[in-house]
Amino acid sequence: VSTQSTGFNLMLLTKLLVFLFLVCCSKSQANPKDVAKSVIDQIIAFDQQHPEAGLFTLPLYGATIVYDGIWEAVEQFGLDYLSVLNKKLDTYLTNPNSTAYQVLHNITVPWGWDIGDSVGLFPIVYTDRIEYYNRHPDPSYNKATDLTLAIEVADKYVLLWPKNLRDGCIARDVGWPGEKSNGSTFVWSDDQYMGLTLLFRLALLLKNRDYSDIGTYLLSLFDKHLFDSKTGLYFHGYNDYDQVNSCCKWSRANGWAIFAHTEALLALKEYPNVETPAILKTFQAHAKAISSIVSNQGLLHEVVDQPSTFLETSSSSMLLFSLIKGVQNNWLDHDVYQPVIKKYFSIVVKFILC
């Protein structure tokens, strides 16, 4: 297993474990707190032993999801990783070569080839820190810098993203082999989560409906172009130039989609709008469809509807995390999905930690 895939699997398992305890922990299962600590300790050790890999270096989305998960583990389980998190976040803020430093010092940040992989997502770990210290006040912490960073990235990067379809959907210039383009015509499922999550987090943090309304509208455009209502699954990409979808329903593309809808629904609990019924309906249809095609081994296939493709652990973790959140928030039927969660959780953990 490559260091990259190992790191990605660990970061998704971190997020998954945080919520398992609240939904389906039983005496017959490993204690989620203990497993979460084991995973996080592995991440820290991996980062120290393989610094050249850069897997846990901000602002990359992989590192962002790792630290987002560790913040949740600290909050839910009381694990003692505050010093690790604060050191990582503060070091990045003060590094003159970092995106965070450039944003805070009004240095132009060039547009990336995608909205969120390296710019649009990473401030969520700083909103995590604000949320944590709002609940656990510490006079030594000042949220002003973290808050400025998050708002600046949201307002001046995410909301001003220049690559869009004619209907406003977030797009990229880069597509897949054999496809023509006359500009920013490609929509990728990844960008639902990478580009919109910061908006949903800020809506809740700042009690600002506008972020939620804009984010959910943009999410509805992704659904318009990528969601296959016939199967309940997502295509990975769409090219507006010739109005075709990519060939396959990639598992991680479906993972990013269900992740993004989870974030949107959390914001919509506080700020419901005209998009709420459609987004909830799509989330429920997607959860039902993707849960029904999990393999007998308890994992999704790399192309979710093609059993000949290999088994994929990261997307399986993304699905389980989202199902758990769905049950917690009554978006999904407890009696239907709790057995699914219990059945497949131990399998996912086994595959990732083996």
Side-chain angles (χ1 to χ4, degrees):
V1 179
S2 70
T3 56
Q4 182 174 5
S5 63
T6 298
F8 198 89
N9 289 336
L10 287 173
M11 75 184 181
L12 290 169
L13 182 59
T14 302
K15 285 184 71 66
L16 172 62
L17 284 166
V18 168
F19 292 100
L20 178 74
F21 178 79
L22 303 176
V23 179
C24 62
C25 182
S26 71
K27 294 181 180 179
S28 63
Q29 295 172 317
N31 185 306
K33 178 178 178 178
D34 293 340
V35 181
K37 184 179 186 305
S38 173
V39 171
I40 295 170
D41 287 345
Q42 287 185 63
I43 288 171
I44 294 170
F46 185 94
D47 189 35
Q48 294 172 344
Q49 295 166 12
H50 302 281
E52 75 287 349
L55 291 178
F56 306 115
T57 301
L58 293 171
L60 298 178
Y61 73 89
T64 299
I65 295 175
V66 166
Y67 299 127
D68 185 45
I70 296 176
W71 274 118
E72 295 191 43
V74 168
E75 179 63 32
Q76 297 294 334
F77 296 141
L79 297 177
D80 186 17
Y81 294 106
L82 273 179
S83 60
V84 173
L85 290 166
N86 283 326
K87 181 179 179 179
K88 282 286 184 182
L89 271 60
D90 290 340
T91 299
Y92 189 67
L93 287 176
T94 56
N95 178 356
N97 295 319
S98 75
T99 301
Y101 184 94
Q102 293 168 350
V103 169
L104 292 170
H105 291 81
N106 296 314
I107 300 170
T108 300
V109 176
W111 301 112
W113 72 285
D114 57 74
I115 191 170
D117 282 19
S118 59
V119 180
L121 181 65
F122 85 89
I124 68 171
V125 298
Y126 292 92
T127 63
D128 285 337
R129 179 156 69 172
I130 296 171
E131 294 277 15
Y132 178 83
Y133 284 110
N134 282 346
R135 292 187 291 267
H136 309 279
D138 183 334
S140 67
Y141 172 69
N142 187 329
K143 69 181 180 182
T145 299
D146 291 354
L147 187 58
T148 297
L149 174 64
I151 292 173
E152 287 287 298
V153 172
D155 291 356
K156 297 181 180 179
Y157 195 89
V158 174
L159 294 180
L160 296 182
W161 181 249
K163 304 175 185 181
N164 305 284
L165 301 190
R166 290 166 291 182
D167 62 8
C169 188
I170 293 168
R172 304 185 188 187
D173 299 328
V174 179
W176 55 95
E179 277 297 301
K180 297 180 180 180
S181 175
N182 59 358
S184 302
T185 65
F186 294 99
V187 177
W188 290 105
S189 181
D190 317 45
D191 295 336
Q192 299 181 64
Y193 183 79
M194 310 293 190
L196 302 180
T197 297
L198 178 60
L199 302 183
F200 299 134
R201 299 286 182 92
L202 281 174
L204 296 172
L205 175 65
L206 301 178
K207 297 179 171 51
N208 186 327
R209 166 181 286 278
D210 291 344
Y211 285 121
S212 180
D213 287 349
I214 295 170
T216 50
Y217 172 71
L218 291 172
L219 187 65
S220 73
L221 297 178
F222 279 99
D223 287 346
K224 170 185 172 184
H225 297 299
L226 298 176
F227 184 65
D228 181 0
S229 60
K230 295 180 180 179
T231 64
L233 301 172
Y234 279 82
F235 291 100
H236 187 196
Y238 167 77
N239 185 4
D240 198 52
Y241 179 79
D242 51 9
Q243 298 185 340
V244 299
N245 288 104
S246 58
C247 66
C248 306
K249 296 181 171 79
W250 182 45
S251 61
R252 202 177 290 170
N254 280 267
W256 294 129
I258 202 165
F259 254 18
H261 284 67
T262 300
E263 296 285 347
L265 287 168
L266 288 170
L268 287 169
K269 283 182 66 175
E270 298 297 323
Y271 303 107
N273 60 33
V274 295
E275 306 294 348
T276 303
I279 288 175
L280 178 59
K281 182 179 179 180
T282 299
F283 174 82
Q284 291 169 336
H286 189 204
K288 180 179 179 180
I290 199 168
S291 298
S292 70
I293 56 174
V294 173
S295 72
N296 291 333
Q297 294 95 325
L299 300 174
L300 293 170
H301 289 277
E302 172 68 357
V303 179
V304 292
D305 56 355
Q306 295 185 21
S308 61
T309 59
F310 63 83
L311 297 174
E312 221 280 345
T313 47
S314 61
S315 58
S316 302
S317 298
M318 297 163 94
L319 169 62
L320 274 171
F321 174 85
S322 300
L323 294 183
I324 290 169
K325 294 296 287 183
V327 169
Q328 282 183 318
N329 289 281
N330 297 315
W331 306 325
L332 299 175
D333 186 279
H334 177 277
D335 292 339
V336 172
Y337 285 96
Q338 182 171 343
V340 176
I341 294 167
K342 283 188 173 182
K343 179 178 179 180
Y344 294 120
F345 172 76
S346 59
I347 300 173
V348 172
V349 172
K350 178 182 177 181
F351 270 82
I352 292 176
L353 296 183
C354 66

